[in-house]
């Protein structure tokens, strides 16, 4: 039986006279059982201006008692905005197993960071807790009134820090709000948090909230605190959810002290959360999921026909941070200005990172993604570029009418659509889009070309475990119709192949770009 361990690296303590750390983060790597290769699993958030960062972001792992699950933690000081690890200063690392963390007294493990000869790198502390089966997520919004003034030239720059209580009476940080500048009456943005992160499924467990005044140098001023519980929060906006912010140190000094302001719950709602362990998107440390395998199999072949190896990659059907807005077409790299990823490895990296930041959410609409690529194809109809849209999905289409219209429109453009269906769903809708027998039509218009090729991923799963061979068959079958579809478009537009030159010998004439 596998349980889930939730742990966070905390308090990298380094003597200030030895090393200066202003902006830091930690990267977790897991080691594959068969390959022994280290693969990045996730990163904490970046924390500024402290030698003792207390990270909010958690790593959720499946724990297998019978297996040795090797982990590596690398700490860095941020030098640039680059996501490339090599661009940042290495502060030290630590190796352990997940079993060591879980098996430590109180599931708390403290180790010394090492890796820089002759230098003390500080300590790193882990805590682990078995997650409950609670799969709900809570969205709430709070405001404050008449908080203490902390800034000499202004008012205060308040923010909230939430902590859940542990079985041993200690507290673990679980959320920080944004900073609201220069006000004693802040209204914070709504935020979403898993209920198990807030209270681990124990609705009466104490939740402590600290109120701070933000300072640029990291020495944030404590305004006060209050305690509550998930059960209290769940009552919603009421007189029960107006909390006095108390500063006990200040109260002990001033006889007439009443409070340091109040915090009020403005709204609270609970929704069911999609979970990765039961999701086709679930990221196992030991093998790729079906989405990643299909992307890698098809992408590694098709990228050879792309001149610059830059691929715009999009997701669809998710709630996006920070406000939980539902999107049906969003860049996997979170860069709306430049959604391009470098090579298929870059697409995979963006996909894995996106899974850690978005919440899967329906409905699943195909049309927005198809239309997004179609807009790009509309700008290049001279035969110099041909676009290939690879869609990997579980087969549940919520906008079939709009999707058919999008396919009919796209059939007049230099583009093809490959759909790989993953999971056990019935793919009748996909078969309808694949116009091998009956051409797709919409509002009386029939697609001028068959541009959709669909295959179910399950047909290519090798029961003997030979994934290399099975993925090669998948790529061959889904790409088989692309050359004919490309030539069909060129012929209907009377576009002839361009003469080959010494600088373009690796690129087929008339095919200068393929996009995913």
């Amino acid at each position: 039986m596998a349980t889930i361990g939730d742990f966070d690296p905390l308090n990298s303590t380094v003597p200030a006279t030895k090393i200066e750390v202003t902006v830091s983060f930690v990267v977790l790597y897991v080691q594959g059982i068969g390959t022994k290769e280290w693969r990045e699993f996730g990163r904490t958030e970046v924390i500024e201006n402290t030698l003792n960062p207390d990270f909010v972001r958690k790593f959720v792992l499946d724990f297998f008692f019978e297996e040795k699950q090797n982990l590596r933690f690398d700490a860095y000081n941020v030098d640039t905005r680059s996501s490339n690890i090599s661009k940042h200063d290495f502060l030290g690392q630590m190796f352990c197993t997940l079993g060591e963390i879980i098996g430590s007294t109180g599931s708390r493990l403290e180790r010394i960071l090492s890796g820089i000869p002759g230098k003390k790198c500080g300590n790193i502390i882990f805590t682990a807790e078995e997650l409950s089966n609670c799969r709900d997520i809570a969205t709430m919004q709070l405001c404050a009134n008449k908080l203490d003034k902390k800034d000499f030239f202004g008012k205060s720059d308040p923010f909230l820090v939430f902590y859940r209580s542990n079985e041993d009476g200690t507290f673990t940080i679980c959320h920080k709000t944004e900073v609201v500048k220069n006000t004693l009456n802040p209204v914070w943005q709504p935020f979403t948090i898993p209920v198990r992160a807030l209270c681990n499924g124990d609705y009466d467990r104490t939740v402590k909230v600290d109120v701070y005044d933000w300072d640029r140098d990291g020495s944030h001023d404590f305004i006060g605190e209050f305690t509550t519980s998930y059960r209290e929060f769940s009552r919603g906006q009421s007189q029960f959810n107006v909390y006095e912010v108390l500063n006990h140190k200040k109260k002990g000094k001033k006889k007439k002290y009443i409070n340091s302001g109040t915090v009020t719950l403005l709204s609270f709602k609970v929704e069911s959360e999609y979970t990765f362990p039961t999701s086709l998107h679930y990221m196992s440390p030991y093998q790729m999921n079906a989405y990643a395998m299909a992307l890698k199999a098809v992408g590694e072949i098709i990228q050879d026909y792309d001149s610059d190896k830059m691929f715009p990659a999009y997701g669809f059907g998710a709630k996006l941070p920070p406000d939980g807005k539902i999107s049906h077409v969003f860049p996997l790299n979170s860069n709306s200005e430049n959604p391009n990823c470098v090579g298929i490895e870059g697409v995979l990296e963006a996909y894995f990172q996106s899974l850690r930041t978005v919440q899967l959410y329906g409905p699943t609409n195909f049309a927005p993604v198809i239309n997004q690529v179609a807009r790009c194809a509309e700008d290049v109809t001279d035969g110099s570029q041909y676009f290939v849209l690879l869609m990997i999905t579980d087969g549940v289409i919520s906008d079939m009418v709009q999707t058919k219209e999008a396919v009919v429109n796209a059939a007049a453009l230099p583009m093809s659509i490959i759909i790989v269906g993953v999971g056990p769903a019935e793919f009748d809708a996909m078969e309808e889009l694949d116009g091998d027998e009956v051409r797709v039509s919409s509002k009386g218009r029939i697609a001028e070309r068959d541009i959709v090729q669909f295959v179910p991923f399950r047909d290519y799963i090798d029961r003997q475990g030979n994934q290399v061979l099975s993925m090669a068959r998948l790529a061959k079958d889904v790409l088989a119709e692309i050359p004919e579809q490309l030539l069909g478009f060129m012929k209907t537009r009377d576009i002839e192949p361009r003469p080959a030159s010494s600088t373009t010998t690796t690129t087929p004439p008339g095919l200068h770009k393929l996009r995913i």
Side-chain angles (χ1 to χ4, degrees):
M1 177 180 176
T3 58
I4 298 178
D6 175 22
F7 63 93
D8 44 331
L10 305 172
N11 302 326
S12 178
T13 55
V14 187
T17 55
K18 297 292 184 181
I19 187 170
E20 249 183 62
V21 179
T22 56
V23 185
S24 57
F25 67 100
V26 173
V27 183
L28 165 62
Y29 295 88
V30 296
Q31 188 178 47
I33 293 180
T35 64
K36 298 299 181 183
E37 293 181 358
W38 290 103
R39 181 176 70 80
E40 181 178 330
F41 184 84
R43 303 182 185 187
T44 67
E45 75 278 15
V46 172
I47 295 185
E48 301 181 4
N49 299 320
T50 179
L51 300 176
N52 303 287
D54 192 354
F55 297 107
V56 174
R57 187 168 299 162
K58 309 296 188 294
F59 300 126
V60 179
L61 296 171
D62 281 342
F63 171 58
F64 301 97
F65 177 80
E66 68 279 7
E67 295 179 6
K68 185 178 182 181
Q69 297 170 260
N70 293 321
L71 309 176
R72 185 182 100 210
F73 298 87
D74 291 0
Y76 290 91
N77 181 37
V78 176
D79 271 348
T80 71
R81 294 183 179 180
S82 173
S83 60
N84 188 338
I85 289 293
S86 64
K87 303 294 184 182
H88 305 290
D89 292 335
F90 177 70
L91 298 178
Q93 65 183 184
M94 198 281 291
F95 297 84
C96 69
T97 67
L98 182 55
E100 285 182 275
I101 299 174
I102 294 176
S104 300
T105 304
S107 294
R108 182 182 186 277
L109 178 67
E110 181 172 0
R111 288 283 180 85
I112 297 173
L113 287 168
S114 61
I116 303 179
K119 181 174 289 187
K120 293 183 178 179
C121 300
N123 299 335
I124 187 167
I125 301 173
F126 309 92
T127 59
E129 184 173 27
E130 182 179 358
L131 293 180
S132 72
N133 289 323
C134 178
R135 298 300 184 187
D136 292 339
I137 58 172
T139 300
M140 66 181 82
Q141 184 178 22
L142 298 100
C143 69
N145 188 45
K146 296 182 180 180
L147 295 177
D148 285 351
K149 179 178 179 296
K150 290 291 185 178
D151 293 339
F152 185 76
F153 292 108
K155 296 180 180 179
S156 289
D157 304 319
F159 67 96
L160 304 177
V161 182
F162 289 72
Y163 302 85
R164 74 162 181 266
S165 60
N166 303 315
E167 296 294 341
D168 59 0
T170 61
F171 288 89
T172 297
I173 187 171
C174 58
H175 182 75
K176 289 181 183 177
T177 68
E178 80 281 7
V179 176
V180 182
K181 293 292 188 70
N182 196 32
T183 179
L184 302 181
N185 304 293
V187 178
W188 290 281
Q189 293 293 321
F191 67 89
T192 298
I193 184 172
V195 171
R196 65 188 183 198
L198 192 65
C199 65
N200 203 21
D202 180 357
Y203 293 173
D204 296 309
R205 182 181 292 204
T206 298
V207 175
K208 182 167 77 79
V209 183
D210 288 351
V211 186
Y212 284 94
D213 167 46
W214 178 85
D215 286 332
R216 187 178 300 275
D217 62 2
S219 59
H220 310 306
D221 299 320
F222 179 71
I223 295 177
E225 66 180 11
F226 65 91
T227 60
T228 182
S229 67
Y230 173 83
R231 193 177 299 279
E232 290 296 319
F233 274 146
S234 64
R235 294 185 179 186
Q237 186 180 25
S238 67
Q239 71 271 24
F240 300 106
N241 279 315
V242 179
Y243 301 96
E244 284 191 303
V245 177
L246 299 178
N247 187 322
H248 297 287
K249 187 175 181 181
K250 189 174 181 180
K251 184 178 181 180
K253 293 180 179 179
K254 295 186 177 182
K255 292 183 178 179
K256 295 184 179 181
Y257 176 84
I258 299 177
N259 59 48
S260 294
T262 59
V263 170
T264 300
L265 180 69
L266 293 178
S267 64
F268 186 90
K269 66 177 182 178
V270 180
E271 297 175 300
S272 296
E273 179 189 31
Y274 290 90
T275 60
F276 289 138
T278 57
S279 166
L280 293 165
H281 289 281
Y282 173 56
M283 294 186 297
S284 167
Y286 309 111
Q287 68 176 28
M288 286 185 171
N289 63 30
Y291 283 83
M293 290 172 67
L295 175 59
K296 186 177 177 68
V298 178
E300 285 188 342
I301 292 178
I302 210 170
Q303 72 175 350
D304 289 342
Y305 300 96
D306 188 284
S307 55
D308 61 9
K309 304 294 187 291
M310 299 295 290
F311 300 106
Y314 300 91
F316 53 97
K319 282 186 174 182
L320 307 185
D323 55 2
K325 182 180 179 180
I326 300 172
S327 176
H328 301 296
V329 52
F330 58 92
L332 291 183
N333 64 2
S334 302
N335 187 343
S336 57
E337 298 297 323
N338 182 15
N340 287 321
C341 302
V342 182
I344 295 304
E345 289 302 320
V347 176
L348 285 169
E349 181 180 347
Y351 165 61
F352 291 138
Q353 188 61 36
S354 179
L355 285 182
R356 302 183 187 108
T357 58
V358 306
Q359 178 198 347
L360 304 181
Y361 207 81
T364 302
N365 295 340
F366 277 28
V369 177
I370 297 174
N371 291 332
Q372 174 75 22
V373 178
R375 283 191 289 271
C376 297
E378 282 177 342
D379 297 333
V380 191
T381 57
D382 60 355
S384 63
Q385 296 185 29
Y386 195 86
F387 295 77
V388 177
L389 170 61
L390 171 61
M391 301 184 71
I392 307 172
T393 178
D394 63 8
V396 182
I397 302 180
S398 303
D399 63 338
M400 191 61 179
V401 173
Q402 294 85 347
T403 296
K404 284 184 177 181
E405 183 177 5
V407 169
V408 170
N409 293 335
L413 300 171
M415 66 179 286
S416 293
I417 302 172
I418 297 172
I419 303 176
V420 178
V422 298
E426 293 298 326
F427 292 115
D428 295 342
M430 299 303 178
E431 298 288 357
E432 187 177 351
L433 293 177
D434 190 336
D436 287 341
E437 297 181 2
V438 180
R439 196 74 59 85
V440 178
S441 62
S442 173
K443 299 179 180 178
R445 296 166 54 225
I446 300 176
E448 67 175 69
R449 297 185 298 130
D450 172 22
I451 64 169
V452 179
Q453 172 71 358
F454 164 75
V455 296
F457 183 84
R458 58 175 175 249
D459 289 354
Y460 297 86
I461 298 176
D462 193 313
R463 305 303 174 188
Q464 306 300 319
N466 191 340
Q467 298 300 341
V468 175
L469 181 60
S470 60
M471 289 304 98
R473 289 194 300 109
L474 170 69
K476 179 181 178 180
D477 286 356
V478 298
L479 295 174
E481 295 184 7
I482 296 297
E484 184 178 342
Q485 292 172 1
L486 182 150
L487 291 174
F489 174 82
M490 300 300 178
K491 287 179 180 179
T492 59
R493 301 304 187 274
D494 294 324
I495 300 173
E496 296 183 358
R498 295 181 178 181
S501 66
S502 59
T503 58
T504 60
T505 54
T506 59
T507 305
L511 176 55
H512 282 215
K513 190 159 189 68
L514 282 159
R515 294 199 175 184
I516 293 180

